[in-house]
Amino acid sequence: MPASTTMTGGVLALGACAFAGQAFLQSSQGKVDVTSSALRGTAQVSSQTTSTFTAPAAASVAVIGTFIGSAVQTGRRTRASGIVRNFNKEAQIGAQAPLGFWDPAGFCTDEAAFKDLRAKEIKHGRLAMMGALGMLSQSLVQVPGMEGVPKDVTACLSGNGQVGFVAILAIIAGLEAVVFVQDPNKEPGNFDNPVPWFDDYSDEMRAKELNNGRIAMFSAIGIISASLFTGSSAAGQLGL
């Protein structure tokens, strides 16, 4: 605002000087023409004075209008460029007690990096929830064709287990490339609701999903590690 006001005032002053100069010239020219009016006639003096005053005055008005318009537009651009969008990563969903916003490696340098990592965190959490539940289920119930496949994590390396594992990876890759594509205009992890009869996108539900996904990631890693170390299935690790 101060810069725009100053510039506008200066332009008005410049325009005033232009008007003053034109008025002075008109006055002087008028006097000279009046002196010679006895020889040339009053009608010629009036016509010459009017035409001499009108053109410079119109030009001065046009110049002043141009400068004022430019000053107003400059002031608007200055105010618009001064608006800064604030982003506080400590206030985002998932930053809660006891750790608060936990980023010891400093990966979240700005809003774009935060949204990218948050979308990846949500995807990994959802995959871990399905993976942990799947490892527990397949150790209790085996689908037809998988009767001779081990019930621990080595199932993906044995017989028909390899076929099922490759098929699952292909499905995941297709969904990742075509279906679950992040829209930059939506919240991270928002791919619309696949179950319309349960529509709850509140902050509380989103925080619960984040927490369940984080627990599931630890759970999946624990099941895989324990199975490789002990040879027990997920159900066997629970004593079932």
Side-chain angles (χ1 to χ4, degrees):
M1 284 300 293
S4 176
T5 305
T6 304
M7 185 174 181
T8 304
V11 170
L12 291 176
L14 180 61
C17 292
F19 271 117
Q22 293 300 329
F24 177 77
L25 290 175
Q26 301 313 318
S27 177
S28 299
Q29 290 174 354
K31 288 181 180 180
V32 173
D33 290 340
V34 169
T35 303
S36 60
S37 63
L39 300 176
R40 299 184 182 180
T42 305
Q44 181 179 358
V45 174
S46 177
S47 176
Q48 184 177 0
T49 302
T50 303
S51 62
T52 306
F53 177 79
T54 303
S60 300
V61 171
V63 170
I64 291 174
T66 301
F67 273 101
I68 292 176
S70 176
V72 171
Q73 292 297 328
T74 302
R76 289 177 179 175
R77 287 195 297 268
T78 302
R79 290 192 297 271
S81 62
I83 298 175
V84 179
R85 182 180 178 182
N86 295 323
F87 174 74
N88 184 11
K89 55 187 179 182
E90 285 80 7
Q92 302 302 310
I93 295 176
Q96 55 195 33
L99 297 178
F101 183 79
W102 195 71
D103 182 23
F107 290 126
C108 297
T109 55
D110 53 20
E111 183 177 2
F114 172 84
K115 287 185 175 181
D116 178 62
L117 293 174
R118 173 52 57 85
K120 292 176 179 177
E121 179 187 19
I122 292 175
K123 283 185 177 182
H124 282 87
R126 291 168 178 170
L127 182 61
M129 285 188 279
M130 291 186 289
L133 182 60
M135 286 186 286
L136 178 61
S137 300
Q138 70 93 22
S139 64
L140 295 174
V141 179
Q142 290 181 305
V143 298
M146 298 291 178
E147 292 81 2
V149 176
K151 295 184 178 181
D152 57 10
V153 294
T154 61
C156 62
L157 304 176
S158 304
N160 290 338
Q162 293 178 332
V163 179
F165 182 63
V166 172
I168 291 174
L169 290 180
I171 294 173
I172 292 174
L175 293 175
E176 177 70 16
V178 179
V179 180
F180 298 132
V181 179
Q182 180 64 53
D183 186 348
N185 297 321
K186 293 183 178 181
E187 299 85 354
N190 184 0
F191 304 110
D192 296 328
N193 187 11
V195 284
W197 57 85
F198 183 77
D199 190 8
D200 185 1
Y201 198 67
S202 61
D203 289 349
E204 180 182 1
M205 184 58 66
R206 293 168 63 191
K208 288 180 179 179
E209 181 190 23
L210 265 175
N211 288 333
N212 287 328
R214 291 166 178 172
I215 294 174
M217 285 188 275
F218 281 106
S219 175
I221 293 174
I223 293 173
I224 294 172
S225 300
S227 181
L228 292 175
F229 183 74
T230 64
S232 299
S233 64
Q237 296 171 23
L238 296 175
L240 300 178

